[in-house]
Short mmCIF file of all heavy atoms in Angstrom, two decimals:
data_model
loop_
_atom_site.label_atom_id
_atom_site.label_comp_id
_atom_site.label_asym_id
_atom_site.label_seq_id
_atom_site.Cartn_x
_atom_site.Cartn_y
_atom_site.Cartn_z
N ALA A 988 90.58 95.06 119.77
CA ALA A 988 91.50 93.97 120.06
C ALA A 988 92.73 94.51 120.78
O ALA A 988 93.07 95.70 120.68
CB ALA A 988 91.91 93.26 118.78
N PHE A 989 93.43 93.63 121.50
CA PHE A 989 94.71 93.98 122.12
C PHE A 989 95.72 92.99 121.54
O PHE A 989 95.78 91.84 121.96
CB PHE A 989 94.63 93.86 123.63
CG PHE A 989 95.79 94.50 124.37
CD1 PHE A 989 95.55 95.43 125.36
CD2 PHE A 989 97.10 94.16 124.08
CE1 PHE A 989 96.60 96.02 126.06
CE2 PHE A 989 98.16 94.74 124.75
CZ PHE A 989 97.90 95.67 125.75
N CYS A 990 96.49 93.44 120.56
CA CYS A 990 97.42 92.58 119.84
C CYS A 990 98.82 92.72 120.43
O CYS A 990 99.44 93.78 120.34
CB CYS A 990 97.47 92.94 118.36
SG CYS A 990 95.89 92.70 117.53
N ALA A 991 99.31 91.64 121.03
CA ALA A 991 100.68 91.60 121.50
C ALA A 991 101.56 91.03 120.40
O ALA A 991 101.23 90.00 119.80
CB ALA A 991 100.79 90.75 122.76
N ILE A 992 102.68 91.69 120.10
CA ILE A 992 103.56 91.32 119.00
C ILE A 992 104.90 90.89 119.57
O ILE A 992 105.57 91.66 120.26
CB ILE A 992 103.75 92.50 118.03
CG1 ILE A 992 102.40 92.96 117.47
CG2 ILE A 992 104.69 92.12 116.89
CD1 ILE A 992 102.47 94.24 116.67
N VAL A 993 105.30 89.64 119.31
CA VAL A 993 106.58 89.13 119.79
C VAL A 993 107.38 88.60 118.62
O VAL A 993 106.86 88.37 117.53
CB VAL A 993 106.37 88.02 120.85
CG1 VAL A 993 105.60 88.53 122.05
CG2 VAL A 993 105.67 86.80 120.26
N GLY A 994 108.67 88.39 118.86
CA GLY A 994 109.54 87.87 117.81
C GLY A 994 110.98 88.18 118.13
O GLY A 994 111.28 88.96 119.03
N ALA A 995 111.89 87.58 117.37
CA ALA A 995 113.32 87.78 117.58
C ALA A 995 113.70 89.23 117.35
O ALA A 995 113.06 89.96 116.59
CB ALA A 995 114.11 86.87 116.65
N SER A 996 114.76 89.68 118.01
CA SER A 996 115.26 91.04 117.80
C SER A 996 115.60 91.24 116.33
O SER A 996 116.20 90.37 115.69
CB SER A 996 116.50 91.28 118.65
OG SER A 996 116.19 91.22 120.02
N GLY A 997 115.22 92.38 115.78
CA GLY A 997 115.53 92.71 114.40
C GLY A 997 114.63 92.10 113.37
O GLY A 997 114.92 92.18 112.17
N CYS A 998 113.50 91.50 113.79
CA CYS A 998 112.63 90.84 112.81
C CYS A 998 111.54 91.77 112.28
O CYS A 998 110.64 91.31 111.56
CB CYS A 998 112.01 89.58 113.41
SG CYS A 998 110.74 89.90 114.64
N GLY A 999 111.58 93.04 112.61
CA GLY A 999 110.66 93.99 111.98
C GLY A 999 109.44 94.36 112.79
O GLY A 999 108.53 95.02 112.28
N LYS A 1000 109.40 94.01 114.07
CA LYS A 1000 108.24 94.32 114.90
C LYS A 1000 108.02 95.83 115.00
O LYS A 1000 106.92 96.33 114.80
CB LYS A 1000 108.40 93.72 116.30
CG LYS A 1000 108.60 92.22 116.33
CD LYS A 1000 108.67 91.68 117.75
CE LYS A 1000 109.79 92.27 118.58
NZ LYS A 1000 111.14 91.93 118.07
N THR A 1001 109.09 96.55 115.33
CA THR A 1001 108.98 98.01 115.46
C THR A 1001 108.73 98.65 114.10
O THR A 1001 107.99 99.64 113.99
CB THR A 1001 110.24 98.59 116.11
OG1 THR A 1001 110.33 98.11 117.46
CG2 THR A 1001 110.20 100.12 116.14
N THR A 1002 109.30 98.11 113.04
CA THR A 1002 109.03 98.62 111.69
C THR A 1002 107.55 98.51 111.37
O THR A 1002 106.94 99.43 110.81
CB THR A 1002 109.86 97.85 110.65
OG1 THR A 1002 111.25 98.05 110.92
CG2 THR A 1002 109.55 98.34 109.23
N PHE A 1003 106.93 97.38 111.74
CA PHE A 1003 105.49 97.22 111.53
C PHE A 1003 104.71 98.26 112.31
O PHE A 1003 103.77 98.87 111.79
CB PHE A 1003 105.08 95.81 111.96
CG PHE A 1003 103.62 95.54 111.83
CD1 PHE A 1003 103.01 95.49 110.58
CD2 PHE A 1003 102.83 95.33 112.95
CE1 PHE A 1003 101.65 95.25 110.45
CE2 PHE A 1003 101.48 95.07 112.84
CZ PHE A 1003 100.88 95.05 111.59
N LEU A 1004 105.10 98.50 113.55
CA LEU A 1004 104.43 99.51 114.36
C LEU A 1004 104.58 100.90 113.73
O LEU A 1004 103.63 101.69 113.69
CB LEU A 1004 105.03 99.51 115.76
CG LEU A 1004 104.08 99.72 116.93
CD1 LEU A 1004 103.06 98.59 117.00
CD2 LEU A 1004 104.86 99.80 118.25
N ARG A 1005 105.76 101.19 113.21
CA ARG A 1005 106.00 102.50 112.59
C ARG A 1005 105.18 102.67 111.30
O ARG A 1005 104.79 103.78 110.96
CB ARG A 1005 107.50 102.67 112.29
CG ARG A 1005 108.33 102.89 113.55
CD ARG A 1005 109.82 102.81 113.26
NE ARG A 1005 110.25 103.85 112.34
CZ ARG A 1005 110.62 105.08 112.71
NH1 ARG A 1005 110.62 105.40 113.99
NH2 ARG A 1005 111.00 105.96 111.83
N MET A 1006 104.90 101.58 110.61
CA MET A 1006 104.01 101.67 109.44
C MET A 1006 102.58 101.94 109.87
O MET A 1006 101.86 102.71 109.22
CB MET A 1006 104.12 100.41 108.59
CG MET A 1006 105.41 100.33 107.79
SD MET A 1006 105.40 99.05 106.51
CE MET A 1006 105.61 97.59 107.51
N LEU A 1007 102.15 101.35 110.99
CA LEU A 1007 100.82 101.65 111.50
C LEU A 1007 100.71 103.11 111.94
O LEU A 1007 99.63 103.71 111.88
CB LEU A 1007 100.49 100.74 112.69
CG LEU A 1007 100.26 99.26 112.37
CD1 LEU A 1007 100.13 98.46 113.66
CD2 LEU A 1007 99.02 99.08 111.51
N LEU A 1008 101.82 103.69 112.35
CA LEU A 1008 101.85 105.09 112.76
C LEU A 1008 102.02 106.04 111.58
O LEU A 1008 101.84 107.24 111.72
CB LEU A 1008 102.99 105.31 113.76
CG LEU A 1008 103.12 106.66 114.44
CD1 LEU A 1008 101.86 107.01 115.23
CD2 LEU A 1008 104.35 106.70 115.34
N SER A 1009 102.37 105.50 110.40
CA SER A 1009 102.68 106.28 109.18
C SER A 1009 104.02 106.99 109.27
O SER A 1009 104.27 107.94 108.54
CB SER A 1009 101.57 107.31 108.87
OG SER A 1009 100.36 106.66 108.57
N GLU A 1010 104.92 106.51 110.13
CA GLU A 1010 106.29 107.00 110.12
C GLU A 1010 107.12 106.25 109.08
O GLU A 1010 108.19 106.72 108.69
CB GLU A 1010 106.94 106.82 111.49
CG GLU A 1010 106.48 107.85 112.51
CD GLU A 1010 107.30 107.82 113.77
OE1 GLU A 1010 107.99 106.81 114.03
OE2 GLU A 1010 107.27 108.82 114.52
N GLU A 1011 106.64 105.09 108.64
CA GLU A 1011 107.26 104.32 107.56
C GLU A 1011 106.18 104.01 106.52
O GLU A 1011 105.01 103.84 106.88
CB GLU A 1011 107.85 103.01 108.07
CG GLU A 1011 109.02 103.17 109.04
CD GLU A 1011 110.33 103.43 108.32
OE1 GLU A 1011 110.33 103.44 107.07
OE2 GLU A 1011 111.34 103.62 109.02
N VAL A 1012 106.57 103.97 105.27
CA VAL A 1012 105.64 103.69 104.18
C VAL A 1012 105.87 102.27 103.67
O VAL A 1012 107.02 101.89 103.42
CB VAL A 1012 105.83 104.70 103.02
CG1 VAL A 1012 104.89 104.38 101.87
CG2 VAL A 1012 105.62 106.12 103.52
N PRO A 1013 104.84 101.46 103.54
CA PRO A 1013 105.03 100.12 103.00
C PRO A 1013 105.63 100.14 101.59
O PRO A 1013 105.31 101.02 100.79
CB PRO A 1013 103.60 99.54 102.96
CG PRO A 1013 102.82 100.36 103.93
CD PRO A 1013 103.42 101.73 103.89
N THR A 1014 106.50 99.18 101.31
CA THR A 1014 107.02 99.04 99.96
C THR A 1014 105.96 98.48 99.03
O THR A 1014 105.82 98.90 97.89
CB THR A 1014 108.24 98.10 99.97
OG1 THR A 1014 109.20 98.57 100.91
CG2 THR A 1014 108.88 98.04 98.58
N ARG A 1015 105.18 97.54 99.56
CA ARG A 1015 104.04 96.96 98.84
C ARG A 1015 102.92 96.69 99.83
O ARG A 1015 103.16 96.59 101.02
CB ARG A 1015 104.45 95.65 98.16
CG ARG A 1015 105.23 95.80 96.88
CD ARG A 1015 105.60 94.42 96.32
NE ARG A 1015 106.88 93.97 96.84
CZ ARG A 1015 107.38 92.74 96.65
NH1 ARG A 1015 106.66 91.85 95.99
NH2 ARG A 1015 108.56 92.41 97.13
N GLY A 1016 101.72 96.53 99.30
CA GLY A 1016 100.59 96.21 100.14
C GLY A 1016 99.91 97.45 100.71
O GLY A 1016 100.28 98.58 100.39
N GLU A 1017 98.90 97.24 101.56
CA GLU A 1017 98.17 98.37 102.11
C GLU A 1017 97.65 98.07 103.51
O GLU A 1017 97.54 96.91 103.92
CB GLU A 1017 96.99 98.74 101.21
CG GLU A 1017 95.91 97.67 101.11
CD GLU A 1017 94.72 98.12 100.28
OE1 GLU A 1017 94.67 99.30 99.89
OE2 GLU A 1017 93.83 97.29 100.02
N ILE A 1018 97.38 99.15 104.22
CA ILE A 1018 96.79 99.08 105.55
C ILE A 1018 95.48 99.87 105.50
O ILE A 1018 95.47 101.04 105.09
CB ILE A 1018 97.72 99.67 106.62
CG1 ILE A 1018 99.06 98.94 106.64
CG2 ILE A 1018 97.06 99.62 107.99
CD1 ILE A 1018 100.11 99.57 107.55
N LEU A 1019 94.39 99.24 105.92
CA LEU A 1019 93.09 99.90 105.96
C LEU A 1019 92.65 100.03 107.40
O LEU A 1019 92.82 99.11 108.21
CB LEU A 1019 92.04 99.10 105.19
CG LEU A 1019 92.31 98.83 103.70
CD1 LEU A 1019 91.17 97.99 103.11
CD2 LEU A 1019 92.46 100.13 102.92
N VAL A 1020 92.08 101.18 107.73
CA VAL A 1020 91.49 101.43 109.04
C VAL A 1020 90.02 101.71 108.84
O VAL A 1020 89.66 102.68 108.16
CB VAL A 1020 92.19 102.60 109.76
CG1 VAL A 1020 91.50 102.89 111.08
CG2 VAL A 1020 93.66 102.29 109.98
N ASP A 1021 89.18 100.84 109.38
CA ASP A 1021 87.73 100.94 109.17
C ASP A 1021 87.40 101.03 107.68
O ASP A 1021 86.52 101.80 107.26
CB ASP A 1021 87.15 102.15 109.91
CG ASP A 1021 87.12 101.93 111.42
OD1 ASP A 1021 87.10 100.76 111.84
OD2 ASP A 1021 87.14 102.92 112.17
#
């Protein structure tokens, strides 16, 4: 998939990307890859 992410400045878009990169750790929940 090609997921484009939009939203207001400061709404956490880059934070979400950094969690996918493992530069940030989720406070709750999980991310699964395959």
Side-chain angles (χ1 to χ4, degrees):
F989 193 126
C990 297
I992 302 171
V993 300
S996 296
C998 72
K1000 302 183 301 295
T1001 295
T1002 298
F1003 178 67
L1004 218 63
R1005 288 170 63 87
M1006 286 193 284
L1007 290 173
L1008 186 60
S1009 296
E1010 284 191 341
E1011 295 279 357
V1012 178
T1014 306
R1015 282 178 270 172
E1017 65 176 353
I1018 302 173
L1019 301 178
V1020 176
D1021 288 335

